[in-house]
Amino acid sequence: MTKPDAVIVGAGIAGLSCAVRLAEAGLAVSVFEASEVPGGRARSWSDPVMGDSVDIGPHILLNKYANMCALLERLGTADQVLWQTEELLTVFDRGRSMHFKVGGLPAPLHFVRNLPRILPSVPLHHLLSNTRLAWQTLRSTGPELMKLDAITGREHLRRCGVSDFFIDWFWAAAAMAVLAVPVERCSAASLMRLLGQALGHNDIAFGMPKVGLSDLYAWPAIEFIRRHGGDVRLGSGVTGFLRGQGRVTGIRLGDGTEVEAPAVVLAVPPTAIAPLLPADHALARTARLFQPSPYISCYLWFDRPITDARFWARPWCPEGYNTDFYNLSNIRPATRGGALIASNIIWSGRVEALSDEAIIEATRREITDFAPQAQHAQLLSASVHRIPMAIPAAFPGTETARPQTAVEQGLWLAGDWVDTALPYCMESATRAGALAAEGVLAERGLYRRLALPPPRPGGLGRWLRSGQEGEDF
Ligand SMILES: Cc1cc2nc3c(=O)[nH]c(=O)nc-3n(C[C@H](O)[C@H](O)[C@H](O)COP(=O)(O)OP(=O)(O)OC[C@H]3O[C@@H](n4cnc5c(N)ncnc54)[C@H](O)[C@@H]3O)c2cc1C
């Protein structure tokens, strides 16, 4: 192998985002991925029984994912996302479907149009208990919100006067859906940054991939990298780094092969850092702070259509299982007849001991609650994906501990857990990959802006914050 200009460790979305940008800039890149399938925690494969493309677990995009949308444009797959623009979300709560919409009034008043949908479930005084919280968050800058990283979401919500009823009805579900931890265990900083974003945008839309995730970006990225002269090796785990003259000079593979390169980008999750670095390395110490939040994703094939809905959610409660459901038969044209319903059990440690059969039975019950036709349908097949880490758990202290991309001479970091000012998600990973590529190029004297900034909340909040010191969040 000729000596590459840059080695990327990991072919998840962060590593591939970085490699695409570096290859496009003319660098000879080599990507090494431990698994035989690219895409990491956002990958897909063909189900061995039914043959349909299934993801590790269903994923959604936001129209605010500027870096990921730009990557898909570059790869020619941007049209493979189905954007749900007519309504934001259907929430199925105690036998009632609530259809939430955005748009209309300027942010944050866009929420007002949903009041008639919410009030039958939530008495007005509980809703109004959020007033101080919303006002305070609208006025806060990013650095002010980060000061909340020491306390939990529930603690902060209570201090701001939010009623326990509303915390359990709404905030518990929001913390679980986006941060993948219970509201009593999540960082208030992470949670309030979400609120700031939600209050600042009246045009949010969800997008659902029309193809498996690996086909959406991973295989197209590999093709792009190879077309630009790069090299991607699957089934090639990296076991350590080469060092010399006070810098990282390359990597060592599991079979002992050494690959020298002036730049190495480590695009692996925090849980994969420990075997690669000495225990006292600053990055290894930081990585240990990030604990995994596990998921279980379920795929159920029915012999007939059971609902017209594409996507619905259930509010989180400790006794429930799945929170978000995707009718892939109405999203992916290639899915065969009947209905293929995918769903996620977030923070799944509480049901990990159950058998696959018990999980499938509970999931079918929850699907039937929303789509009663499922009761009469025959279950053709089902698969249960147990995922030890979907994202790092957003515990207090983790938001301010998120590392930068520059680690040490010759070594950069990418991944959803890098300090991108975004929650742990595909957009954070894509942005981190672009930031790492900027660092690698800068060291070669090539100064380029590749990473797009996080979405800037607008509306009333921006006006209230104008003139204050500190950035937006
Ligand atoms: C079920 C589920 C649902 C999700 N839902 C959403 C969603 O709706 N929206 C959203 O935006 N995000 C969602 N996420 C999160 C999203 O998938 C992740 O944030 C993102 O994929 C992380 O990408 P990454 O590149 O940082 O890390 P990874 O995807 O973890 O990539 C790291 C890669 O490095 C490889 N690797 C590790 N160690 C080595 C080594 N030593 N040598 C070589 N290779 C190595 C791994 O095999 C992996 O391929 C979800 C995740 C899961 C699992």
Side-chain angles (χ1 to χ4, degrees):
M1 178 192 253
T2 51
K3 188 172 162 180
D5 296 321
V7 156
I8 288 98
V9 185
I13 193 163
L16 292 172
S17 152
C18 181
V20 160
R21 301 313 294 256
L22 292 178
E24 195 178 28
L27 269 63
V29 298
S30 286
V31 181
F32 294 95
E33 163 57 51
S35 163
E36 297 289 349
V37 183
R41 282 171 283 148
R43 68 179 185 275
S44 59
W45 58 84
S46 171
D47 180 79
V49 178
M50 299 302 284
D52 284 321
S53 175
V54 290
D55 300 325
I56 180 174
H59 280 56
I60 49 174
L61 287 75
L62 287 181
N63 57 348
K64 303 291 168 191
Y65 280 14
N67 290 278
M68 186 169 176
C69 290
L71 176 68
L72 298 185
E73 285 290 346
R74 192 164 261 104
L75 301 177
T77 55
D79 61 348
Q80 295 301 312
V81 178
L82 180 71
W83 292 103
Q84 177 146 315
T85 44
E86 67 280 14
E87 87 170 32
L88 181 69
L89 175 66
T90 297
V91 176
F92 183 74
D93 182 25
R94 285 165 287 180
R96 200 168 72 85
S97 287
M98 287 177 276
H99 303 282
F100 289 101
K101 295 186 189 306
V102 287
L105 296 169
L109 301 175
H110 59 294
F111 282 112
V112 171
R113 69 187 294 195
N114 292 304
L115 282 182
R117 295 171 192 104
I118 297 173
L119 285 174
S121 294
V122 183
L124 185 63
H125 66 281
H126 288 301
L127 204 57
L128 291 176
S129 71
N130 289 277
T131 311
R132 181 148 61 96
L133 175 81
W135 178 250
Q136 211 168 297
T137 308
L138 277 170
R139 290 172 56 88
S140 300
T141 60
E144 281 165 351
L145 285 188
M146 285 309 106
K147 290 186 191 147
L148 300 174
D149 193 32
I151 59 170
T152 69
R154 190 179 286 272
E155 236 175 309
H156 178 65
L157 294 165
R158 277 186 175 154
R159 279 184 200 172
C160 290
V162 182
S163 71
D164 276 335
F165 177 95
F166 197 85
I167 295 176
D168 293 335
W169 185 79
F170 176 78
W171 286 108
M176 198 52 82
V178 188
L179 304 175
V181 275
V183 67
E184 34 288 303
R185 301 210 42 201
C186 76
S187 154
S190 309
L191 192 63
M192 289 307 104
R193 188 154 63 192
L194 289 182
L195 175 62
Q197 288 288 354
L199 292 174
H201 298 282
N202 67 353
D203 59 349
I204 290 175
F206 289 129
M208 289 160 261
K210 292 194 247 177
V211 292
L213 289 162
S214 293
D215 297 320
L216 180 69
Y217 77 90
W219 291 116
I222 290 175
E223 203 186 304
F224 183 102
I225 293 160
R226 289 183 175 149
R227 214 171 46 241
H228 285 74
D231 178 35
V232 180
R233 302 211 180 170
L234 302 175
S236 298
V238 170
T239 51
F241 298 114
L242 310 178
R243 289 173 188 279
Q245 296 177 332
R247 59 177 291 140
V248 169
T249 56
I251 50 126
R252 186 174 301 106
L253 297 173
D255 64 3
T257 309
E258 295 186 347
V259 182
E260 287 182 17
V264 175
V265 178
L266 189 52
V268 303
T271 43
I273 294 279
L276 300 176
L277 290 170
D280 60 347
H281 192 286
L283 181 61
R285 282 202 305 271
T286 302
R288 283 197 290 276
L289 300 173
F290 292 80
Q291 301 299 313
S293 175
Y295 272 40
I296 295 177
S297 298
C298 306
Y299 286 78
L300 270 63
W301 282 261
F302 294 93
D303 67 342
R304 66 197 78 168
I306 58 164
T307 170
D308 291 337
R310 284 190 194 128
F311 168 46
W312 71 96
R314 288 168 70 104
W316 191 79
C317 72
E319 302 76 40
Y321 289 69
N322 300 274
T323 48
D324 42 325
F325 299 80
Y326 306 76
N327 185 354
L328 295 184
S329 305
N330 289 352
I331 299 170
R332 298 189 171 175
T335 309
R336 278 163 227 164
L340 168 53
I341 310 292
S343 59
N344 281 319
I345 303 176
I346 305 176
W347 189 249
S348 57
R350 66 209 149 85
V351 296
E352 193 59 58
L354 295 182
S355 65
D356 283 4
E357 290 69 28
I359 288 172
I360 292 165
E361 195 42 49
T363 302
R364 184 176 182 161
R365 260 198 323 270
E366 291 183 344
I367 292 172
T368 307
D369 285 347
F370 177 79
Q373 293 94 318
Q375 203 175 355
H376 311 292
Q378 195 192 334
L379 189 64
L380 299 176
S381 184
S383 65
V384 173
H385 304 169
R386 295 176 188 258
I387 305 152
M389 180 173 91
I391 53 172
F395 291 145
T398 50
E399 197 57 63
T400 42
R402 290 173 72 172
Q404 302 294 315
T405 48
V407 178
E408 59 174 282
Q409 286 284 302
L411 182 64
W412 285 264
L413 182 71
D416 59 353
W417 61 297
V418 160
D419 182 13
T420 56
L422 293 159
Y424 311 112
C425 63
M426 294 184 289
E427 171 65 359
S428 176
T430 316
R431 179 160 201 267
L435 287 169
E438 281 178 9
V440 170
L441 291 175
E443 209 193 39
R444 300 172 75 91
L446 299 165
Y447 298 95
R448 303 209 178 144
R449 270 278 159 167
L450 304 177
L452 298 167
R456 190 163 180 227
L460 180 66
R462 186 179 300 174
W463 178 74
L464 284 170
R465 285 190 301 278
S466 66
Q468 289 196 58
E469 280 194 18
E471 329 117 33
D472 267 331
F473 35 86

